[in-house]
Amino acid sequence: MTALAADKKTEYREGVVLAVPVEESTKIYAGALVCVNANGYLVAGADTAGLIFMGVAREAVDNSAGADGAATCLIRRRGLVKMLFATAITQANVGDNVFLVDDQTVDVVANVTNAIFCGIIAEYIDSTHAWVDIEPAIRQADVATHIADESAAHAAAAISIADAGSLITGTTVETALAEIMTGIKTAQYVIRPSMITLEDGTALTKFTSADEATVGWAQIGNKELAIRWNNHATPGKIACQFVMPQDVNDAAAVVAHFMGAIVKAGADEADSPVLTVEAYFSEVGAAAAADTNCGGESGEFLTNADDKWQEKTLSIAHGDVPASPSVLTLIINPKDGQLPADDFAMLVPWLEVTRTCLEA
């Protein structure tokens, strides 16, 4: 076919009334709500999967003894139709979608099985009757209908995803969202300290063994920079501060991690200290002088022949974790009396927290 090169008289019809071929062995009553089946033939309306609502029969047609299409039925495809409801409705149902129960009865979605859409309640009459606008159902392409889609054909659980990058295991929007949100809400991530000083805020300087109570920075082994304590009955304390992000889950514990090693050049290791950790949360509205220590002690750092790094933790109970914004200060030192012979080194500590989804 080619494009027009001259005027053409195009035939058209209003489409309000249409003759539709009737399914074999089928009787249609005048005034019945009618549908077409998968083969495109007219049948009585019903709550049956696969049917598409077509309108209201204007005449009675008996094709009980006929083949498919042996008879046709005039149907109305526009306007407001007074419909009978199977269960009680109220004025509040105006605007709700309506679905077939049988060829003379309709209901809202909660009371049907296959959700054969047949219109929208335009005007409430009484608890069992309403004027229903059938045009949205006839058009079938109505955007609001497809968005509502009570049949769940367009629900997140029914829509597949391509996932070209093979980044998730879910195959539908619903399972993919569940996987993503589970990852967001349960994934644990690290917070590094924003500053490290001596307990009183004095800058942490280079380690020297001249003052046994002093703690400072030192190169350990192959130039690994660490915080080093000299052996002493009451080792000095350091302060580390962590800014807690807005998406920290305050319903989950915060875990402090410490990577340390017992170091003593030219001598056998003898000490097995734990870290004493004071933990103070500063939060909006809390008195600065009323900080409560929610810390404790880390696991024990055991002696070993090769000065190997060991990781120990301290869990801060979720009940002690305030809502953001907050700042956590840790005061740390090898426990008094547990470092009489050896030196102790610790790399920069970190926090492990669980995230939550922000709602605002």
Side-chain angles (χ1 to χ4, degrees):
M1 302 296 291
T2 58
L4 287 173
D7 295 340
K8 174 185 176 181
K9 184 178 180 179
T10 300
E11 297 181 24
Y12 74 94
R13 290 186 291 174
E14 294 294 338
V16 176
V17 177
L18 185 67
V20 181
V22 179
E23 171 81 355
E24 65 178 0
S25 305
T26 297
K27 185 174 183 178
I28 303 292
Y29 292 95
L33 305 175
V34 290
C35 299
V36 290
N37 59 20
N39 295 319
Y41 291 104
L42 201 68
V43 295
D47 186 3
T48 302
L51 296 185
I52 297 175
F53 179 69
M54 287 294 285
V56 181
R58 295 197 61 190
E59 59 181 344
V61 174
D62 189 352
N63 196 34
S64 299
D68 287 339
T72 61
C73 180
L74 288 176
I75 61 171
R76 174 173 288 276
R77 293 165 50 81
R78 301 285 190 278
L80 302 184
V81 177
K82 185 177 180 180
M83 293 190 182
L84 171 67
F85 281 75
T87 57
I89 59 170
T90 68
Q91 180 67 32
N93 288 110
V94 171
D96 285 354
N97 290 340
V98 175
F99 305 86
L100 291 178
V101 173
D102 54 39
D103 63 353
Q104 70 162 336
T105 317
V106 298
D107 215 324
V108 293
V109 69
N111 304 317
V112 296
T113 301
N114 295 291
I116 310 303
F117 180 52
C118 63
I120 296 173
I121 298 176
E123 183 180 347
Y124 172 77
I125 299 174
D126 57 41
S127 62
T128 55
H129 296 88
W131 289 102
V132 175
D133 185 358
I134 65 173
E135 186 167 351
I138 299 303
R139 291 185 180 277
Q140 291 297 320
D142 179 71
V143 173
T145 301
H146 284 277
I147 291 175
D149 188 30
E150 283 87 350
S151 67
H154 298 158
I159 300 175
S160 63
I161 56 175
D163 188 22
S166 299
L167 301 176
I168 55 179
T169 59
T171 58
T172 66
V173 171
E174 178 66 27
T175 55
L177 286 174
E179 185 175 337
I180 292 168
M181 297 311 298
T182 298
I184 290 175
K185 298 187 74 171
T186 62
Q188 296 174 321
Y189 69 111
V190 167
I191 303 175
R192 297 184 296 270
S194 57
M195 69 175 191
I196 302 177
T197 67
L198 294 178
E199 181 185 16
D200 62 2
T202 303
L204 194 62
T205 59
K206 185 177 180 180
F207 172 81
T208 173
S209 60
D211 182 356
E212 292 186 345
T214 299
V215 54
W217 294 106
Q219 286 185 335
I220 308 296
N222 189 24
K223 297 189 177 181
E224 296 167 291
L225 189 61
I227 301 166
R228 181 166 180 164
W229 282 266
N230 204 352
N231 57 292
H232 196 271
T234 55
K237 298 180 179 181
I238 65 167
C240 302
Q241 198 165 82
F242 302 83
V243 178
M244 308 300 286
Q246 295 285 348
D247 61 349
V248 164
N249 182 5
D250 55 23
V254 170
V255 181
H257 289 252
F258 309 98
M259 188 177 292
I262 300 163
V263 289
K264 189 67 172 179
D268 293 334
E269 296 171 357
D271 300 333
S272 298
V274 300
L275 291 176
T276 298
V277 183
E278 300 173 51
Y280 303 95
F281 280 101
S282 302
E283 55 184 305
V284 174
D291 289 343
T292 301
N293 178 12
C294 55
E297 294 181 351
S298 73
E300 183 179 9
F301 290 87
L302 303 176
T303 59
N304 62 75
D306 302 315
D307 299 341
K308 292 180 179 178
W309 294 110
Q310 303 168 51
E311 182 185 5
K312 305 298 177 181
T313 61
L314 168 69
S315 182
I316 300 173
H318 69 83
D320 293 318
V321 181
S324 293
S326 67
V327 174
L328 173 63
T329 300
L330 298 183
I331 308 298
I332 307 167
N333 72 304
K335 187 173 182 178
D336 290 354
Q338 292 192 349
L339 203 64
D342 300 329
D343 287 7
F344 181 79
M346 182 185 72
L347 300 175
V348 174
W350 68 91
L351 301 181
E352 183 180 357
V353 298
T354 301
R355 301 168 64 186
T356 190
C357 296
L358 297 178
E359 297 180 359

